[in-house]
């Protein structure tokens, strides 16, 4: 995940924001405690939402505590612990590892190789805990890399490879709600992939990097990147909001037992606001 799945803070209650940050800090603490300090750099706010969503349908209570950390060493911060937080921490590291592996295979990145060496022991531990998920990630990213090298013009094929990874992530995270979470993960994955491609339009045109939108909608070098973005905006809006609509329907069908306000904030405010910013090319 790429940092797109976030809350819209102005619409959150103070207590809800504290809980949200408690999940984020809980994941960070879990990673540091089980895998060391370096892997904590892979953490993004996507992980907090993943943990909140998976935990929302479970009876297991949140266990909050007030703790210091490296960043906040004076004032204690709320830290929450549960099994969903541990799973999300593992997932962030697995995604980071496979992204590094993809960078090495694509362009022989020395920095990626060096980081992989530092994380090799942690990855072996994660692979023992999540063998099937590691297989799905490896195969999905390999397929995505193949499509990128072929300059695939099919947006569905390109996004499907990443969506299946997200499908497996959410399905394994909640075996008792496998079907619903698999569907939610698939459409969230579709949204993330297209959002990232939309966000990178200008950068990829300038650098010549692969972007499925450039091939799917036949970018003409005689038009400016801004004109190209405006030309394909109706298609982007339709697809991005359609993925979110399915995600909303799935989440509404769940028997959410806790933190519903935070989850609804992300689904109805955070993701929709981020979609609007990305379509307009205003994402920071």
């Amino acid at each position: 995940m790429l940092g797109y799945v976030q809350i819209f803070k102005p619409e959150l209650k103070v207590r809800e924001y504290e809980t949200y940050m408690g999940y984020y800090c809980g994941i960070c603490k879990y990673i540091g405690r089980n895998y060391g300090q370096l892997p904590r750099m892979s953490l993004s706010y996507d992980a907090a939402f993943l943990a909140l969503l998976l935990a929302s349908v479970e009876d297991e209570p949140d266990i909050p505590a007030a703790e210091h950390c490296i960043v906040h060493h004076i004032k204690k911060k709320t830290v929450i612990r549960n099994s969903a937080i541990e799973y999300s921490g593992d997932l962030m590291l697995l995604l980071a590892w496979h992204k590094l592996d993809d960078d090495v295979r694509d362009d022989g990145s020395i920095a990626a190789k060096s980081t992989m060496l530092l994380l090799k022991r942690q990855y072996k531990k994660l692979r023992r805990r999540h063998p099937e998920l590691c297989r799905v990630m490896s195969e999905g990213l390999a397929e995505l890399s193949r499509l990128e090298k072929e300059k695939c013009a099919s947006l569905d094929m390109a996004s499907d490879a990443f969506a299946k990874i997200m499908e497996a992530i959410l399905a394994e995270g909640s075996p008792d709600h496998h079907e619903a979470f698999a569907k939610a993960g698939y459409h969230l994955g579709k949204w993330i992939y297209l959002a990232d491609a939309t966000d990178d339009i200008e950068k990829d045109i300038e650098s010549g990097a692969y972007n499925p939108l450039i091939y799917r909608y036949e970018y003409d070098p005689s038009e400016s990147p801004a004109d190209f973005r405006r030309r394909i905006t109706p298609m982007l809006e339709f697809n991005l909001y359609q993925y979110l609509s399915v995600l909303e329907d799935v989440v509404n069908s769940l028997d959410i037992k806790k933190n519903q306000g935070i989850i609804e904030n992300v689904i109805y405010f955070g993701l929709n606001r981020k979609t609007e910013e990305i379509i307009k090319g205003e994402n920071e």
Side-chain angles (χ1 to χ4, degrees):
M1 295 188 280
L2 304 171
Y4 293 121
V5 185
Q6 299 180 19
I7 57 167
F8 181 53
K9 187 177 177 181
E11 292 292 334
L12 268 187
K13 298 176 182 176
V14 174
R15 176 178 50 81
E16 290 174 333
Y17 181 70
E18 184 177 353
T19 299
Y20 175 75
M21 293 306 300
Y23 268 75
Y24 180 85
C25 293
I27 297 169
C28 187
K29 287 271 190 176
Y30 167 77
I31 292 174
R33 188 169 60 251
N34 289 273
Y35 301 105
Q37 301 308 311
L38 177 62
R40 295 167 92 168
M41 300 297 292
S42 67
L43 183 59
S44 74
Y45 283 103
D46 303 282
F49 173 72
L50 174 62
L52 279 158
L53 185 61
L54 292 174
S56 71
V57 296
E58 304 297 335
D59 293 320
E60 179 185 10
D62 292 340
I63 304 175
E67 300 180 9
H68 292 296
C69 71
I70 295 174
V71 178
H72 303 97
H73 56 279
I74 298 176
K75 184 179 179 180
K76 290 184 177 181
K77 305 289 288 186
T78 298
V79 176
I80 293 174
R81 293 188 173 91
N82 57 39
S83 57
I85 281 173
E86 295 178 2
Y87 179 75
S88 297
D90 287 355
L91 259 296
M92 286 298 102
L93 296 189
L94 283 174
L95 286 168
W97 172 273
H98 285 286
K99 177 62 171 68
L100 290 168
D101 186 48
D102 189 50
D103 291 343
V104 171
R105 285 188 283 107
D106 281 352
D107 54 25
S109 170
I110 300 299
K113 283 183 181 179
S114 301
T115 306
M116 288 181 74
L117 285 173
L118 294 173
L119 297 177
K120 189 174 183 179
R121 180 175 58 84
Q122 289 91 335
Y123 176 68
K124 286 182 177 179
K125 182 178 179 180
L126 287 163
R127 190 171 59 187
R128 288 193 296 269
R129 297 186 69 174
H130 308 282
E132 178 61 18
L133 204 51
C134 286
R135 182 191 65 79
V136 172
M137 284 185 180
S138 182
E139 292 179 358
L141 290 173
E143 173 65 7
L144 190 55
S145 179
R146 181 187 69 81
L147 293 170
E148 290 176 354
K149 289 175 181 177
E150 293 177 357
K151 309 297 183 187
C152 177
S154 171
L155 187 57
D156 282 338
M157 289 178 64
S159 61
D160 195 62
F162 183 76
K164 286 180 178 177
I165 294 174
M166 292 300 301
E167 178 182 59
I169 286 173
L170 266 74
E172 181 168 316
S174 186
D176 294 338
H177 305 83
H178 180 279
E179 185 176 346
F181 275 90
K183 188 174 182 180
Y186 182 82
H187 286 85
L188 180 59
K190 284 273 194 178
W191 180 87
I192 290 173
Y193 186 85
L194 181 53
D196 186 53
T198 303
D199 202 18
D200 289 345
I201 286 174
E202 289 80 4
K203 183 182 72 175
D204 290 341
I205 289 175
E206 182 179 352
S207 67
Y210 170 76
N211 186 316
L213 298 173
I214 295 172
Y215 297 93
R216 170 63 181 85
Y217 297 112
E218 300 179 340
Y219 169 69
D220 185 342
S222 66
E223 63 182 334
S224 70
D227 287 341
F228 176 66
R229 177 184 287 273
R230 281 191 289 270
R231 174 163 67 83
I232 69 173
T233 286
M235 287 76 81
L236 297 174
E237 289 178 332
F238 177 82
N239 285 299
L240 286 166
Y241 285 116
Q242 177 64 25
Y243 299 147
L244 289 187
S245 176
V246 176
L247 178 62
E248 290 168 4
D249 289 343
V250 175
V251 172
N252 285 336
S253 72
L254 297 172
D255 179 19
I256 294 179
K257 299 174 181 178
K258 58 185 175 183
N259 299 321
Q260 184 166 354
I262 307 173
I263 293 167
E264 290 180 347
N265 178 279
V266 174
I267 296 292
Y268 295 108
F269 293 101
L271 292 179
N272 278 282
R273 183 178 178 85
K274 184 62 68 175
T275 299
E276 183 179 342
E277 291 174 352
I278 288 170
I279 289 173
K280 293 179 179 178
E282 296 175 349
N283 182 49
E284 295 182 2

